[in-house]
Amino acid sequence: MGPLQFGMSPAEVAQALLVPGPQERVGGPYAQENFPDGVKAFYDPGKLACVALDAVTGPQVFLSGFPLAGSDPEQGQQFLLDHAAEHGNWVLYTPDDSIFP
């Protein structure tokens, strides 16, 4: 799997994931494509805006060398808060109080 970058087109996302296309497209406030192995891509006017990964079945991903799945939840939350503050980004929370970077 290649790196995913915000602003990629749906075709570029599929190419980076080494698949011909998504398994499913879902409507909603953002265009959503579901890929194998628990990867979900969300688009804002045709450009990648968010990637969601299933922490159990999805691939291991790293942000600045920190593993986003399989790490201690408190350490992960603090890392995301620190990383967002350092880079001038926002951290949002889902309705169940999960962190949404």
Side-chain angles (χ1 to χ4, degrees):
M1 177 168 59
L4 295 176
Q5 298 177 1
F6 294 112
M8 291 177 115
S9 71
E12 290 170 322
V13 169
Q15 183 179 17
L17 294 175
L18 305 175
V19 296
Q23 291 179 317
E24 176 184 34
R25 288 187 172 92
V26 181
Y30 293 94
Q32 175 183 338
E33 294 183 334
N34 297 336
F35 291 92
D37 299 323
V39 177
K40 296 179 182 187
F42 298 86
Y43 302 92
D44 193 16
K47 300 292 181 186
L48 183 64
C50 178
V51 176
L53 304 166
D54 185 308
V56 175
T57 63
Q60 177 60 279
V61 293
F62 296 86
L63 177 61
S64 296
F66 186 86
L68 294 179
S71 59
D72 176 84
E74 285 185 31
Q75 287 179 327
Q77 181 170 338
Q78 190 59 54
F79 171 80
L80 290 171
L81 291 169
D82 293 344
H83 187 274
E86 182 180 327
H87 292 88
N89 295 325
W90 295 88
V91 175
L92 304 174
Y93 288 85
T94 63
D96 69 352
D97 288 328
S98 297
I99 197 165
F100 187 80

